[in-house]
Amino acid sequence: MAAHRSKTPVVIGIVGPGLIGSTLIKQLSAQARALQNSLLIDLHIVAIISSRAMYLYNQKGCDLETWQTDMAMGGEPPSLDAFTDFFKGFSNCHKIIVDCTATSLVPSYYARWLSTGIHVVTPNKKLSSGPLDEWTKVRTASRDHGTHFMYEGTVGAGLPVISTLNNLLDTGDELMHIEGILSGTLSFIFNSFGAGKTFSQVVADAKAKGFTEPDPREDLAGTDVARKMIILGRECGLAVEMRQVHVQSLVPPQLADTQSADDFMAQLPQYDSTMQGQAQAAAAQGMALRYVGSLDLINRKCRVELKQVPLAHPFASLDGSDNIISFKTQRYNEQPLVIRGPGAGAEVTAAGVFGDLLHVIKMLGMP
């Protein structure tokens, strides 16, 4: 007769219960009972903090169905220091903090958390693409203290991009070139551009559908794609910083300092002819325009730019806001390894974070 095994307690803190954070909690709620049985864990969300409020629970955690009511009632004033100290009260259990924000402040706590036995899971790109010394500090804290820092959701939302890259590296494959369309916004714009619509009309449509940031210049500047390429480059051993990445901005220089997003959108049609000319030149050669990030690992260079790709190329056949990435390696040389699918959206991003969370739990020695 098999010996009875008690369930291992796992306590979780959520930073940023916004769209992605709340979706993650919803997914956790739907799977909680199945996970408790399959992984033999006793999992509870014991702390939630937003920019407006903080709610700290006991080890039994929050009710996954009614936590939003707790937050709406006010809780305590938000304090990341108090949030951090709260976890000192939990012993004999595994502790994980999930950062679902997009701020630079929360990542400044990662090294502190990792150094005190708290694992960190996040889709926040700011740390992994920020100053190299800060990124190195966090990776060192994770290594030295035996804690896990997981960030699959930083590139491609829920697509298995970083895990695939690490599998290639860990099994001794030699990476030569990584190339991808890694902005859902710019994917949508260039998948739609040319079908009887001007560039400004397509940008306006993307904004109306919620694909862009409130100010579309944040997407058109290419910085988000550059951040993702930096993350991939660092995984491959490149000590790359933002200033070393060639980034082609799609924001007309004359509109870069326009005071408001509305003013920018009102003036953007004046520059449609420039983009239209590039699209026509590409079409005349049987090509399509796509906004592509690329890593040349032989020459150690990173570029983010508008490129012409053949109509038969996988990058030219994307739909909607899908992402796609190809890995050319020693093993996948003649035919690169390609990953394609939804690269934006709360459900898939939260699922990517959820997957990292489960990966941490499994690495902690559970079945």
Side-chain angles (χ1 to χ4, degrees), residues 34-271:
L35 292 174
Q36 287 177 353
N37 293 329
S38 63
L39 298 180
L40 290 177
I41 58 172
D42 190 19
L43 186 152
H44 299 286
I45 295 176
V46 298
I48 302 175
I49 182 171
S50 71
S51 59
R52 296 182 298 276
M54 176 174 69
Y55 219 95
L56 307 176
Y57 299 85
N58 58 29
Q59 192 157 341
K60 292 184 179 180
C62 69
D63 185 322
L64 295 179
E65 300 294 333
T66 63
W67 66 272
Q68 288 172 309
T69 302
D70 296 338
M71 294 295 290
M73 291 174 63
E76 303 178 28
S79 165
L80 280 170
D81 287 328
F83 179 87
T84 301
D85 291 341
F86 175 70
F87 280 86
K88 294 177 181 177
F90 294 93
S91 57
N92 300 318
C93 63
H94 297 296
K95 295 173 278 191
I96 306 172
I97 291 178
V98 183
D99 172 22
C100 291
T101 73
T103 73
S104 298
L105 173 62
V106 179
S108 68
Y109 282 77
Y110 291 175
R112 179 175 167 185
W113 292 339
L114 292 162
S115 298
T116 55
I118 302 173
H119 310 281
V120 176
V121 174
T122 186
N124 187 332
K125 293 183 284 292
K126 294 297 175 62
L127 185 282
S128 294
S129 63
L132 188 61
D133 59 340
E134 293 297 318
W135 177 81
T136 302
K137 180 181 177 182
V138 167
R139 296 291 290 256
T140 300
S142 173
R143 183 189 66 242
D144 290 351
H145 296 275
T147 44
H148 300 291
F149 174 48
M150 305 294 291
Y151 44 94
E152 181 75 77
T154 58
V155 181
L159 297 178
V161 174
I162 291 176
S163 56
T164 298
L165 175 57
N166 283 327
N167 285 337
L168 293 170
L169 293 168
D170 291 344
T171 58
D173 203 352
E174 180 182 348
L175 272 291
M176 292 183 277
H177 198 263
I178 301 174
E179 193 170 51
I181 295 174
L182 294 172
S183 164
T185 301
L186 295 174
S187 179
F188 175 83
I189 287 173
F190 285 100
N191 290 338
S192 306
F193 180 43
K197 296 181 180 179
T198 65
F199 185 71
S200 62
Q201 288 173 335
V202 172
V203 173
D205 187 30
K207 187 174 187 295
K209 286 181 165 65
F211 287 128
T212 73
E213 295 294 331
D215 189 337
R217 283 175 293 187
E218 294 184 33
D219 301 287
L220 297 174
T223 306
D224 182 66
V225 179
R227 287 188 179 279
K228 294 171 182 177
M229 300 312 295
I230 289 171
I231 293 170
L232 296 176
R234 289 178 178 177
E235 289 297 304
C236 295
L238 296 186
V240 60
E241 301 260 21
M242 180 65 77
R243 66 179 182 274
Q244 297 168 305
V245 182
H246 169 83
V247 182
Q248 179 185 357
S249 173
L250 301 181
V251 178
Q254 300 89 335
L255 302 185
D257 297 322
T258 304
Q259 287 190 343
S260 71
D262 288 341
D263 288 343
F264 169 75
M265 292 302 299
Q267 296 181 54
L268 187 58
Q270 301 174 28
Y271 302 90

